[in-house]
Short mmCIF file of all heavy atoms in Angstrom, two decimals:
data_model
loop_
_atom_site.label_atom_id
_atom_site.label_comp_id
_atom_site.label_asym_id
_atom_site.label_seq_id
_atom_site.Cartn_x
_atom_site.Cartn_y
_atom_site.Cartn_z
N ILE Z 1 -83.18 39.28 192.37
CA ILE Z 1 -83.58 38.22 193.17
C ILE Z 1 -84.37 37.18 192.36
O ILE Z 1 -84.89 37.61 191.32
CB ILE Z 1 -84.32 38.65 194.45
CG1 ILE Z 1 -85.53 39.55 194.11
CG2 ILE Z 1 -83.26 39.53 195.31
CD1 ILE Z 1 -86.45 39.90 195.31
N LEU Z 2 -84.63 36.03 192.93
CA LEU Z 2 -85.44 34.98 192.30
C LEU Z 2 -86.93 35.61 192.15
O LEU Z 2 -87.41 36.21 193.09
CB LEU Z 2 -85.49 33.78 192.97
CG LEU Z 2 -84.09 32.89 192.88
CD1 LEU Z 2 -84.22 31.64 193.77
CD2 LEU Z 2 -83.87 32.57 191.45
N PRO Z 3 -87.55 35.37 191.00
CA PRO Z 3 -88.96 35.64 190.97
C PRO Z 3 -89.80 34.92 191.85
O PRO Z 3 -89.50 33.83 192.32
CB PRO Z 3 -89.30 35.34 189.43
CG PRO Z 3 -87.97 35.19 188.85
CD PRO Z 3 -87.10 34.79 189.81
N LYS Z 4 -90.97 35.51 192.17
CA LYS Z 4 -91.95 34.84 193.03
C LYS Z 4 -92.26 33.45 192.56
O LYS Z 4 -92.47 33.23 191.33
CB LYS Z 4 -93.20 35.62 193.15
CG LYS Z 4 -94.23 35.15 194.12
CD LYS Z 4 -95.43 35.99 194.22
CE LYS Z 4 -96.38 35.45 195.20
NZ LYS Z 4 -97.57 36.28 195.35
N GLY Z 5 -92.32 32.38 193.40
CA GLY Z 5 -92.59 31.18 193.08
C GLY Z 5 -91.40 30.21 192.78
O GLY Z 5 -91.54 29.00 192.64
N LEU Z 6 -90.19 30.89 192.60
CA LEU Z 6 -88.99 30.00 192.38
C LEU Z 6 -88.19 29.92 193.64
O LEU Z 6 -88.08 30.85 194.45
CB LEU Z 6 -88.13 30.67 191.23
CG LEU Z 6 -88.73 30.81 189.93
CD1 LEU Z 6 -87.61 31.34 188.95
CD2 LEU Z 6 -89.34 29.58 189.48
N ASN Z 7 -87.62 28.57 193.90
CA ASN Z 7 -86.96 28.31 195.03
C ASN Z 7 -85.41 28.12 194.81
O ASN Z 7 -85.07 27.59 193.81
CB ASN Z 7 -87.55 27.08 195.64
CG ASN Z 7 -86.87 26.48 196.87
OD1 ASN Z 7 -85.81 26.00 196.82
ND2 ASN Z 7 -87.57 26.75 198.04
N GLU Z 8 -84.66 28.73 195.69
CA GLU Z 8 -83.17 28.60 195.41
C GLU Z 8 -82.64 27.29 195.42
O GLU Z 8 -81.85 26.98 194.52
CB GLU Z 8 -82.45 29.50 196.60
CG GLU Z 8 -81.09 29.65 196.34
CD GLU Z 8 -80.49 30.58 197.50
OE1 GLU Z 8 -81.09 31.55 197.87
OE2 GLU Z 8 -79.31 30.31 197.85
N LYS Z 9 -83.08 26.31 196.34
CA LYS Z 9 -82.59 24.94 196.28
C LYS Z 9 -82.98 24.17 194.99
O LYS Z 9 -82.29 23.44 194.44
CB LYS Z 9 -83.15 24.21 197.50
CG LYS Z 9 -82.41 24.27 198.78
CD LYS Z 9 -82.92 23.38 199.82
CE LYS Z 9 -81.90 23.24 200.87
NZ LYS Z 9 -82.44 22.36 201.94
N THR Z 10 -84.22 24.44 194.56
CA THR Z 10 -84.76 23.82 193.43
C THR Z 10 -83.96 24.29 192.26
O THR Z 10 -83.61 23.46 191.35
CB THR Z 10 -86.22 24.01 193.21
OG1 THR Z 10 -86.86 23.63 194.48
CG2 THR Z 10 -86.80 23.32 192.04
N LEU Z 11 -83.80 25.60 192.15
CA LEU Z 11 -83.01 26.15 190.96
C LEU Z 11 -81.60 25.56 190.95
O LEU Z 11 -81.13 25.18 189.81
CB LEU Z 11 -82.93 27.62 191.01
CG LEU Z 11 -82.13 28.40 190.00
CD1 LEU Z 11 -82.88 28.02 188.58
CD2 LEU Z 11 -82.19 29.88 190.16
N ASN Z 12 -80.92 25.50 192.04
CA ASN Z 12 -79.60 24.88 192.16
C ASN Z 12 -79.63 23.41 191.68
O ASN Z 12 -78.68 23.01 190.94
CB ASN Z 12 -79.00 25.06 193.54
CG ASN Z 12 -78.22 26.26 193.73
OD1 ASN Z 12 -77.62 26.86 192.78
ND2 ASN Z 12 -78.19 26.83 194.90
N GLY Z 13 -80.64 22.66 192.07
CA GLY Z 13 -80.71 21.29 191.65
C GLY Z 13 -80.85 21.16 190.15
O GLY Z 13 -80.27 20.32 189.51
N ILE Z 14 -81.67 21.99 189.55
CA ILE Z 14 -81.88 21.90 188.19
C ILE Z 14 -80.67 22.37 187.37
O ILE Z 14 -80.25 21.71 186.40
CB ILE Z 14 -83.12 22.86 187.71
CG1 ILE Z 14 -84.48 22.26 188.36
CG2 ILE Z 14 -83.19 23.06 186.26
CD1 ILE Z 14 -85.60 23.18 188.17
N MET Z 15 -80.00 23.32 187.96
CA MET Z 15 -78.81 23.82 187.28
C MET Z 15 -77.69 22.68 187.35
O MET Z 15 -76.89 22.54 186.37
CB MET Z 15 -78.31 25.08 187.97
CG MET Z 15 -79.13 26.20 187.52
SD MET Z 15 -78.76 27.68 188.62
CE MET Z 15 -77.19 28.18 187.95
N ASN Z 16 -77.59 21.97 188.37
CA ASN Z 16 -76.69 20.90 188.57
C ASN Z 16 -76.95 19.77 187.50
O ASN Z 16 -76.12 19.28 186.96
CB ASN Z 16 -76.63 20.32 189.96
CG ASN Z 16 -76.04 21.23 190.87
OD1 ASN Z 16 -75.19 22.05 190.60
ND2 ASN Z 16 -76.39 21.15 192.14
N LYS Z 17 -78.32 19.48 187.30
CA LYS Z 17 -78.61 18.49 186.40
C LYS Z 17 -78.28 18.98 184.96
O LYS Z 17 -77.74 18.22 184.07
CB LYS Z 17 -80.08 18.13 186.40
CG LYS Z 17 -80.58 17.54 187.67
CD LYS Z 17 -79.83 16.29 188.03
CE LYS Z 17 -80.35 15.60 189.26
NZ LYS Z 17 -79.60 14.42 189.68
N ILE Z 18 -78.52 20.19 184.60
CA ILE Z 18 -78.18 20.77 183.35
C ILE Z 18 -76.69 20.68 183.13
O ILE Z 18 -76.15 20.33 182.03
CB ILE Z 18 -78.58 22.27 183.18
CG1 ILE Z 18 -80.18 22.24 183.08
CG2 ILE Z 18 -78.09 22.86 182.01
CD1 ILE Z 18 -80.80 23.59 183.18
N ASP Z 19 -75.87 20.95 184.16
CA ASP Z 19 -74.36 20.90 184.09
C ASP Z 19 -73.94 19.52 183.77
O ASP Z 19 -72.97 19.36 183.04
CB ASP Z 19 -73.80 21.48 185.31
CG ASP Z 19 -73.94 22.88 185.43
OD1 ASP Z 19 -74.19 23.62 184.56
OD2 ASP Z 19 -73.68 23.40 186.57
N SER Z 20 -74.66 18.57 184.35
CA SER Z 20 -74.25 17.13 184.18
C SER Z 20 -74.48 16.71 182.75
O SER Z 20 -73.85 15.62 182.40
CB SER Z 20 -75.03 16.33 185.19
OG SER Z 20 -76.37 16.01 184.73
N LEU Z 21 -75.14 17.37 181.98
CA LEU Z 21 -75.40 17.04 180.53
C LEU Z 21 -74.21 17.44 179.71
O LEU Z 21 -74.15 17.14 178.54
CB LEU Z 21 -76.71 17.68 180.15
CG LEU Z 21 -77.92 17.21 180.73
CD1 LEU Z 21 -79.19 17.94 180.31
CD2 LEU Z 21 -78.11 15.62 180.49
N GLU Z 22 -73.28 18.11 180.29
CA GLU Z 22 -72.00 18.53 179.50
C GLU Z 22 -72.18 19.19 178.30
O GLU Z 22 -71.61 18.72 177.16
CB GLU Z 22 -71.14 17.26 179.47
CG GLU Z 22 -70.76 16.69 180.89
CD GLU Z 22 -69.87 15.41 180.74
OE1 GLU Z 22 -69.80 14.82 179.67
OE2 GLU Z 22 -69.39 15.17 181.80
N GLY Z 23 -73.15 20.10 178.15
CA GLY Z 23 -73.27 20.83 176.81
C GLY Z 23 -74.20 20.30 175.85
O GLY Z 23 -74.47 20.83 174.86
N LYS Z 24 -74.84 19.10 176.18
CA LYS Z 24 -75.70 18.43 175.21
C LYS Z 24 -77.04 19.21 175.20
O LYS Z 24 -77.55 19.67 176.24
CB LYS Z 24 -75.87 17.00 175.58
CG LYS Z 24 -74.69 16.12 175.49
CD LYS Z 24 -75.11 14.70 175.77
CE LYS Z 24 -73.91 14.02 176.49
NZ LYS Z 24 -74.28 12.76 177.20
N GLU Z 25 -77.77 19.09 174.15
CA GLU Z 25 -79.07 19.62 174.01
C GLU Z 25 -80.02 18.75 174.96
O GLU Z 25 -79.78 17.55 175.02
CB GLU Z 25 -79.62 19.67 172.68
CG GLU Z 25 -79.03 20.90 171.90
CD GLU Z 25 -79.64 21.01 170.59
OE1 GLU Z 25 -80.33 20.14 170.00
OE2 GLU Z 25 -79.48 22.15 170.00
N PHE Z 26 -81.05 19.37 175.38
CA PHE Z 26 -81.94 18.61 176.32
C PHE Z 26 -83.39 19.22 176.12
O PHE Z 26 -83.54 20.39 175.74
CB PHE Z 26 -81.65 18.60 177.72
CG PHE Z 26 -81.46 19.89 178.40
CD1 PHE Z 26 -82.54 20.53 178.99
CD2 PHE Z 26 -80.29 20.61 178.29
CE1 PHE Z 26 -82.43 21.82 179.60
CE2 PHE Z 26 -80.15 21.89 178.90
CZ PHE Z 26 -81.23 22.49 179.50
N ASN Z 27 -84.45 18.41 176.42
CA ASN Z 27 -85.79 19.00 176.44
C ASN Z 27 -86.39 18.91 177.88
O ASN Z 27 -85.72 18.39 178.80
CB ASN Z 27 -86.70 18.24 175.38
CG ASN Z 27 -86.79 16.75 175.64
OD1 ASN Z 27 -86.83 16.37 176.82
ND2 ASN Z 27 -86.85 15.97 174.61
N ILE Z 28 -87.54 19.38 177.91
CA ILE Z 28 -88.19 19.52 179.32
C ILE Z 28 -88.35 18.03 179.91
O ILE Z 28 -88.14 17.83 181.11
CB ILE Z 28 -89.53 20.21 179.23
CG1 ILE Z 28 -89.33 21.65 178.99
CG2 ILE Z 28 -90.23 20.06 180.52
CD1 ILE Z 28 -90.53 22.44 178.68
N LYS Z 29 -88.79 17.26 179.05
CA LYS Z 29 -89.01 15.84 179.54
C LYS Z 29 -87.77 15.22 180.23
O LYS Z 29 -87.88 14.50 181.19
CB LYS Z 29 -89.57 14.89 178.37
CG LYS Z 29 -89.83 13.57 178.74
CD LYS Z 29 -90.45 12.80 177.72
CE LYS Z 29 -90.68 11.28 178.07
NZ LYS Z 29 -91.01 10.46 176.98
N GLU Z 30 -86.66 15.35 179.51
CA GLU Z 30 -85.48 14.79 180.04
C GLU Z 30 -84.97 15.42 181.47
O GLU Z 30 -84.68 14.65 182.34
CB GLU Z 30 -84.26 15.03 179.05
CG GLU Z 30 -84.40 14.31 177.83
CD GLU Z 30 -83.46 14.74 176.64
OE1 GLU Z 30 -83.06 15.89 176.66
OE2 GLU Z 30 -83.09 13.92 175.80
N ILE Z 31 -85.31 16.64 181.60
CA ILE Z 31 -84.92 17.31 182.83
C ILE Z 31 -86.00 16.92 184.02
O ILE Z 31 -85.63 16.67 185.11
CB ILE Z 31 -84.81 18.87 182.74
CG1 ILE Z 31 -83.71 19.30 181.80
CG2 ILE Z 31 -84.76 19.56 184.19
CD1 ILE Z 31 -82.40 18.98 182.34
N CYS Z 32 -87.17 16.71 183.57
CA CYS Z 32 -88.24 16.19 184.41
C CYS Z 32 -87.89 14.88 184.95
O CYS Z 32 -87.98 14.61 186.15
CB CYS Z 32 -89.65 16.01 183.73
SG CYS Z 32 -90.42 17.71 183.42
N GLU Z 33 -87.35 13.89 184.08
CA GLU Z 33 -86.99 12.64 184.58
C GLU Z 33 -85.76 12.67 185.46
O GLU Z 33 -85.66 11.95 186.43
CB GLU Z 33 -86.64 11.72 183.25
CG GLU Z 33 -87.92 11.42 182.54
CD GLU Z 33 -87.67 10.80 181.15
OE1 GLU Z 33 -86.48 10.55 180.80
OE2 GLU Z 33 -88.72 10.37 180.43
N LEU Z 34 -84.78 13.47 185.11
CA LEU Z 34 -83.63 13.68 185.92
C LEU Z 34 -83.91 14.20 187.39
O LEU Z 34 -83.28 13.86 188.41
CB LEU Z 34 -82.62 14.55 185.34
CG LEU Z 34 -81.89 13.93 184.09
CD1 LEU Z 34 -81.08 15.08 183.38
CD2 LEU Z 34 -80.97 12.80 184.44
N THR Z 35 -84.81 15.14 187.47
CA THR Z 35 -85.15 15.83 188.70
C THR Z 35 -86.38 15.31 189.41
O THR Z 35 -86.61 15.64 190.60
CB THR Z 35 -85.38 17.35 188.49
OG1 THR Z 35 -86.50 17.53 187.51
CG2 THR Z 35 -84.26 17.99 187.93
N GLU Z 36 -87.16 14.49 188.71
CA GLU Z 36 -88.42 13.88 189.28
C GLU Z 36 -89.42 15.10 189.57
O GLU Z 36 -90.04 15.11 190.68
CB GLU Z 36 -88.21 13.02 190.42
CG GLU Z 36 -87.34 11.90 190.05
CD GLU Z 36 -87.07 10.85 191.09
OE1 GLU Z 36 -87.47 11.20 192.32
OE2 GLU Z 36 -86.48 9.89 190.93
N MET Z 37 -89.39 16.05 188.70
CA MET Z 37 -90.27 17.20 189.00
C MET Z 37 -91.29 17.27 187.74
O MET Z 37 -91.14 16.68 186.64
CB MET Z 37 -89.57 18.58 189.05
CG MET Z 37 -88.68 18.66 190.21
SD MET Z 37 -87.83 20.33 190.14
CE MET Z 37 -86.49 19.84 191.30
N SER Z 38 -92.39 18.11 187.94
CA SER Z 38 -93.37 18.11 186.91
C SER Z 38 -92.91 19.05 185.73
O SER Z 38 -92.03 19.91 185.85
CB SER Z 38 -94.70 18.74 187.47
OG SER Z 38 -94.55 20.24 187.68
N ASN Z 39 -93.57 18.89 184.52
CA ASN Z 39 -93.26 19.74 183.30
C ASN Z 39 -93.52 21.15 183.66
O ASN Z 39 -92.78 21.96 183.29
CB ASN Z 39 -94.26 19.21 182.32
CG ASN Z 39 -93.93 18.02 181.56
OD1 ASN Z 39 -92.95 17.18 182.09
ND2 ASN Z 39 -94.64 17.62 180.58
N VAL Z 40 -94.61 21.48 184.35
CA VAL Z 40 -94.94 22.84 184.61
C VAL Z 40 -93.85 23.54 185.52
O VAL Z 40 -93.38 24.59 185.25
CB VAL Z 40 -96.29 22.95 185.38
CG1 VAL Z 40 -96.61 24.46 185.74
CG2 VAL Z 40 -97.42 22.54 184.39
N THR Z 41 -93.34 22.79 186.51
CA THR Z 41 -92.32 23.36 187.36
C THR Z 41 -91.00 23.45 186.63
O THR Z 41 -90.41 24.61 186.66
CB THR Z 41 -92.08 22.38 188.52
OG1 THR Z 41 -93.28 22.25 189.38
CG2 THR Z 41 -90.94 22.85 189.36
N ILE Z 42 -90.59 22.55 185.91
CA ILE Z 42 -89.40 22.59 185.12
C ILE Z 42 -89.46 23.76 184.07
O ILE Z 42 -88.52 24.53 183.88
CB ILE Z 42 -89.01 21.26 184.38
CG1 ILE Z 42 -88.78 20.15 185.45
CG2 ILE Z 42 -87.87 21.43 183.45
CD1 ILE Z 42 -87.59 20.50 186.24
N LYS Z 43 -90.61 23.89 183.37
CA LYS Z 43 -90.77 25.00 182.43
C LYS Z 43 -90.60 26.34 182.98
O LYS Z 43 -90.01 27.24 182.49
CB LYS Z 43 -92.12 24.85 181.68
CG LYS Z 43 -92.42 26.00 180.71
CD LYS Z 43 -91.56 25.83 179.49
CE LYS Z 43 -92.00 26.80 178.49
NZ LYS Z 43 -90.89 27.45 177.66
N LYS Z 44 -91.08 26.62 184.28
CA LYS Z 44 -90.99 27.86 184.97
C LYS Z 44 -89.43 28.16 185.18
O LYS Z 44 -88.86 29.28 184.98
CB LYS Z 44 -91.65 27.76 186.36
CG LYS Z 44 -93.11 28.09 186.29
CD LYS Z 44 -93.75 28.30 187.72
CE LYS Z 44 -93.23 27.33 188.73
NZ LYS Z 44 -93.98 27.46 190.02
N TYR Z 45 -88.71 27.19 185.68
CA TYR Z 45 -87.36 27.29 185.93
C TYR Z 45 -86.41 27.50 184.68
O TYR Z 45 -85.62 28.42 184.61
CB TYR Z 45 -86.69 26.21 186.79
CG TYR Z 45 -87.20 26.28 188.24
CD1 TYR Z 45 -88.33 25.70 188.70
CD2 TYR Z 45 -86.47 27.00 189.20
CE1 TYR Z 45 -88.83 25.93 190.02
CE2 TYR Z 45 -86.75 27.13 190.49
CZ TYR Z 45 -87.89 26.54 190.87
OH TYR Z 45 -88.40 26.77 192.24
#
């Protein structure tokens, strides 16, 4: 099951953004901009 502090909807949203990159490399900042979430949150996921 998901570790404490991780949310299923948030995880699905992040995974969808990663999938939209079509295999390209990315960094935390890029995912933060795509999801409008903080660095700390994105790093946990």
Side-chain angles (χ1 to χ4, degrees):
I1 58 171
L2 288 175
K4 185 178 179 180
L6 298 187
N7 177 284
E8 189 172 325
K9 271 188 168 179
T10 304
L11 180 59
N12 270 327
I14 292 168
M15 292 169 68
N16 287 334
K17 296 300 182 184
I18 291 170
D19 289 345
S20 75
L21 297 173
E22 300 177 344
K24 295 182 215 165
E25 288 188 337
F26 58 91
N27 60 34
I28 291 174
K29 182 179 177 185
E30 292 167 330
I31 298 297
C32 288
E33 290 170 359
L34 289 172
T35 60
E36 298 180 357
M37 294 181 203
S38 73
N39 288 5
V40 173
T41 298
I42 293 299
K43 179 67 172 144
K44 280 193 309 189
Y45 283 90

